[in-house]
Amino acid sequence: MTEFTDRQPVRQLGRDRGGYYHVVVLATVVDEFPKKRKTRFLCTLEDQLTYPCGLNHLGDGNFFIIISGKRLKQVGKELDDMINFKLVEDPNPLGVEMPEILTELLAQDNILSAQFQALTMGKKRHVIHSINRIKDIDKQVNKAINMIRQYGGV
């Protein structure tokens, strides 16, 4: 399978599970994709808004895709509204764009680059998301180095 399209009501998890808005993706659907449960997706809502996402365990063997409140507003939907969505396997194996500062840092330090490459995809994404929140370049560099070394066990 290369893509999946569905129409479902927007649901919300209980507050004890984060309260996320979401749509459900059945395990049988996920297993049709080549990478199965490790698939990263591009999710398109209402043929208007596309964003990268991953699967989260629902707890009953199935999965869900998180939809932020901001994204729901952008497509004019809210809790319990029916929403059209399409999932396509993300061609970027990392699922996020590599920041220029991290690309340059890894190009200059072979040891750090090897440590970064040895990280799981989830830890790589966490490093990227963490440094993207920081505006100061020096602080981005220091945060990236510290996180990669921490995760890499150095």
Side-chain angles (χ1 to χ4, degrees), residues 72-95:
L72 281 177
K73 286 181 184 177
Q74 287 177 299
V75 297
K77 299 291 181 179
E78 55 188 43
L79 183 62
D80 296 325
D81 285 351
M82 294 300 287
I83 192 166
N84 295 306
F85 69 98
K86 179 171 74 172
L87 298 175
V88 177
E89 187 173 356
D90 191 337
N92 177 349
L94 197 51

Side-chain angles (χ1 to χ4, degrees), residues 4 6 8-13 17 20-33 35-41 43 51 53-67 85 87:
F4 172 73
D6 202 359
Q8 294 181 21
V10 175
R11 300 175 185 174
Q12 187 174 22
L13 292 174
R17 294 199 52 211
Y20 299 114
Y21 295 109
H22 68 281
V23 289
V24 174
V25 182
L26 298 176
T28 54
V29 170
V30 172
D31 287 341
E32 291 292 319
F33 284 89
K35 294 181 185 171
K36 301 192 182 314
R37 296 155 196 248
K38 293 185 180 185
T39 306
R40 296 287 304 172
F41 293 102
C43 180
Y51 63 97
C53 63
L55 296 166
N56 298 281
H57 292 275
L58 197 53
D60 62 359
N62 295 307
F63 300 88
F64 66 95
I65 300 290
I66 294 173
I67 306 172
F85 69 98
L87 298 175

Side-chain angles (χ1 to χ4, degrees), residues 42-146:
L42 294 175
C43 180
T44 302
L45 303 175
E46 296 294 322
D47 293 322
Q48 299 174 35
L49 176 67
T50 301
Y51 63 97
C53 63
L55 296 166
N56 298 281
H57 292 275
L58 197 53
D60 62 359
N62 295 307
F63 300 88
F64 66 95
I65 300 290
I66 294 173
I67 306 172
S68 69
K70 179 181 175 182
R71 290 185 177 121
L72 281 177
K73 286 181 184 177
Q74 287 177 299
V75 297
K77 299 291 181 179
E78 55 188 43
L79 183 62
D80 296 325
D81 285 351
M82 294 300 287
I83 192 166
N84 295 306
F85 69 98
K86 179 171 74 172
L87 298 175
V88 177
E89 187 173 356
D90 191 337
N92 177 349
L94 197 51
V96 294
E97 293 301 315
M98 184 79 121
E100 184 178 342
I101 190 75
L102 185 57
T103 301
E104 289 299 319
L105 176 64
L106 297 177
Q108 295 174 21
D109 187 329
N110 291 337
I111 294 171
L112 195 66
S113 179
Q115 290 172 335
F116 182 78
Q117 294 309 319
L119 298 178
T120 65
M121 291 299 214
K123 287 182 179 177
K124 289 176 186 177
R125 282 189 293 276
H126 187 238
V127 170
I128 290 168
H129 289 306
S130 295
I131 67 171
N132 278 340
R133 291 188 201 114
I134 302 169
K135 300 297 180 210
D136 182 89
I137 291 174
D138 290 333
K139 289 180 182 177
Q140 284 180 330
V141 169
N142 288 333
K143 181 74 167 181
I145 291 169
N146 289 336

